[in-house]
Amino acid sequence: MPRWATSHLALAVGAAVTAACISACGASRPAPPPSQPVSYVGLPLRQVADLALPDSASRFDYESIDPLRRTLYIAHLDASSIVVVNLATQQVQADLHGIAEVHGVLAAPSLGRLFASATGSGQVVMIWERTGRILARAPAGVYPDGIAYDPVKQEAFVSDESGGVETVIDARDGRRIATIGLGGQAGNVQYDDQTGDVLADVQTRNVVAVIDPASNRVVRDIALLGCDHDHGLYLDEKSRLAFVACDGNARLLVLGLTHYAVRQNLRVGEDPDVLAFDPSLHRLYVAAESGVVTVFGERGRSLVTLGRKFLATEAHTVAVDPVTHLVYFALQDIGGKPVLRIMAPVR
């Protein structure tokens, strides 16, 4: 039976489990605090539901939302699958297998494509969103991880973390068209829609590399004073700010994109990983490997801390729906089962 057909079979079961979980899981006992508790202020979030997820209680990685199709994609790394959640119904829609040790996942709504980094096979996989069918696979280095999409050139940029390069993929046919050396380990990568540049963390050099997609060359390195091992990255193009998560010293840098100067150096939870931003509420969510989540509010071109708290073990990945403002944390082990914790912002 095809994988997609198997996914639809799982959907019926998942929907029943989901309904039961929404009524019961929200009252489940919270995860234990860290072994060395820190006094954190509360989070400006309230729990809405825990949605049961398929497969094993094992590690997740990146999440990506397609706001046009009202769909959330979750990389279930240890299950080598992508969980597809319908945001309109808050139910699991499909479970796409066959993507070995999937780390990165990114929807390109204008193309109807989904890109996934299959670290286990050293590939980037291109998937048709409408059917879940794999359209192409291309080599993407030693350890493909984060992904960015350039909608102008219709190209995907995939960070090869330990290989130290960005792999460039033609988003129309999935072919590898270039590799760009960074001179160090590649962290996350983002596309700047104001300049057309691609920015990539170079975590072993503590710089952000600025890539010109026209030439597929690094045209500038931005030094990150006060950062140890920049891994997470998010751009707020409207405010001309970059948010850089430094997992070596638990700091978040606010970098101005006009003059490439560090504006702020802020505390976050240990081992910060994935960042998500709500452009309407001007809130930044920083999820850390330590299970600590930090929420910032954007005030002008600066951030203020709204809350920081241990949420759950390995609560290191997050996505926010720009339409409903709901925040989604894929949690690997709540009572022995994987769940998607859905939370709503509290003003």
Side-chain angles (χ1 to χ4, degrees):
M1 183 181 293
R3 294 287 187 185
W4 188 255
T6 304
S7 301
H8 282 293
L9 180 62
L11 172 59
V13 176
V17 175
T18 295
C21 189
I22 287 179
S23 62
C25 292
S28 62
R29 181 175 298 176
S35 56
Q36 293 182 331
V38 182
S39 179
Y40 296 133
V41 295
L43 292 173
L45 292 166
R46 62 177 177 83
Q47 185 173 333
V48 174
D50 274 353
L51 173 65
L53 295 179
D55 300 315
S56 60
S58 57
R59 184 176 175 84
F60 292 95
D61 215 83
Y62 288 101
E63 304 175 37
S64 180
I65 286 178
D66 183 336
L68 298 181
R69 293 169 178 81
R70 308 299 301 131
T71 303
L72 167 67
Y73 300 98
I74 307 169
H76 197 167
L77 191 159
D78 283 346
S80 293
S81 71
I82 297 173
V83 182
V84 184
V85 178
N86 185 317
L87 294 179
T89 63
Q90 302 287 4
Q91 292 185 358
V92 174
Q93 178 175 307
D95 188 20
L96 309 178
H97 284 265
I99 306 158
E101 297 177 22
V102 54
H103 275 75
V105 62
L106 182 70
S110 59
L111 276 184
R113 300 285 194 270
L114 178 69
F115 296 93
S117 53
T119 305
S121 59
Q123 295 175 318
V124 59
V125 180
M126 188 169 73
I127 300 165
W128 192 11
E129 282 193 84
R130 188 165 67 86
T131 64
R133 181 168 66 91
I134 292 177
L135 299 174
R137 295 176 182 265
V142 182
Y143 198 95
D145 192 6
I147 307 171
Y149 176 63
D150 176 351
V152 176
K153 295 197 69 182
Q154 294 186 319
E155 294 174 349
F157 288 73
V158 184
S159 290
D160 177 3
E161 185 169 0
S162 55
V165 302
E166 290 294 327
T167 300
V168 187
I169 302 296
D170 188 321
R172 291 160 294 191
D173 59 17
R175 291 181 303 110
R176 181 175 66 176
I177 56 178
T179 56
I180 305 166
L182 299 177
Q185 285 187 2
N188 207 350
V189 58
Q190 296 284 314
Y191 172 75
D192 185 346
D193 65 11
Q194 297 293 309
T195 64
D197 292 330
V198 173
L199 275 64
D201 284 323
V202 189
Q203 54 195 28
T204 48
R205 296 177 55 217
N206 299 320
V207 302
V208 168
V210 180
I211 298 168
D212 173 18
S215 62
N216 284 327
R217 294 179 180 273
V218 175
V219 295
R220 179 172 186 165
D221 282 336
I222 306 165
L224 300 173
L225 200 62
C227 180
D228 180 12
H229 208 262
D230 51 311
H231 180 69
L233 181 64
Y234 188 91
L235 305 188
D236 177 7
E237 293 98 333
K238 185 175 181 180
S239 296
R240 304 308 298 146
L241 296 174
F243 308 122
V244 185
C246 310
D247 61 12
N249 60 343
R251 308 300 294 185
L252 179 86
L253 300 192
V254 179
L255 179 70
L257 290 176
T258 304
H259 301 294
Y260 295 122
V262 174
R263 299 174 57 87
Q264 289 179 283
N265 185 323
L266 303 164
R267 178 189 171 196
V268 291
E270 292 293 325
D271 297 317
D273 190 4
V274 179
L275 286 67
F277 186 69
D278 186 325
S280 297
L281 296 185
H282 301 281
R283 285 192 179 183
L284 177 70
Y285 300 91
V286 181
E289 299 276 1
S290 58
V292 173
V293 173
T294 308
V295 184
F296 294 100
E298 191 179 63
R299 304 289 185 266
R301 299 188 70 228
S302 299
L303 295 182
V304 296
T305 304
L306 302 181
R308 184 184 305 111
K309 186 178 180 181
F310 178 81
L311 180 66
T313 301
E314 297 286 344
H316 69 105
T317 182
V318 60
V320 59
D321 186 343
V323 177
T324 65
H325 311 293
L326 292 175
V327 185
Y328 296 88
F329 297 93
L331 305 177
Q332 69 183 47
D333 190 350
I334 300 297
K337 297 185 180 298
V339 304
L340 180 64
R341 180 152 295 171
I342 306 171
M343 306 189 81
V346 177
R347 295 182 185 273

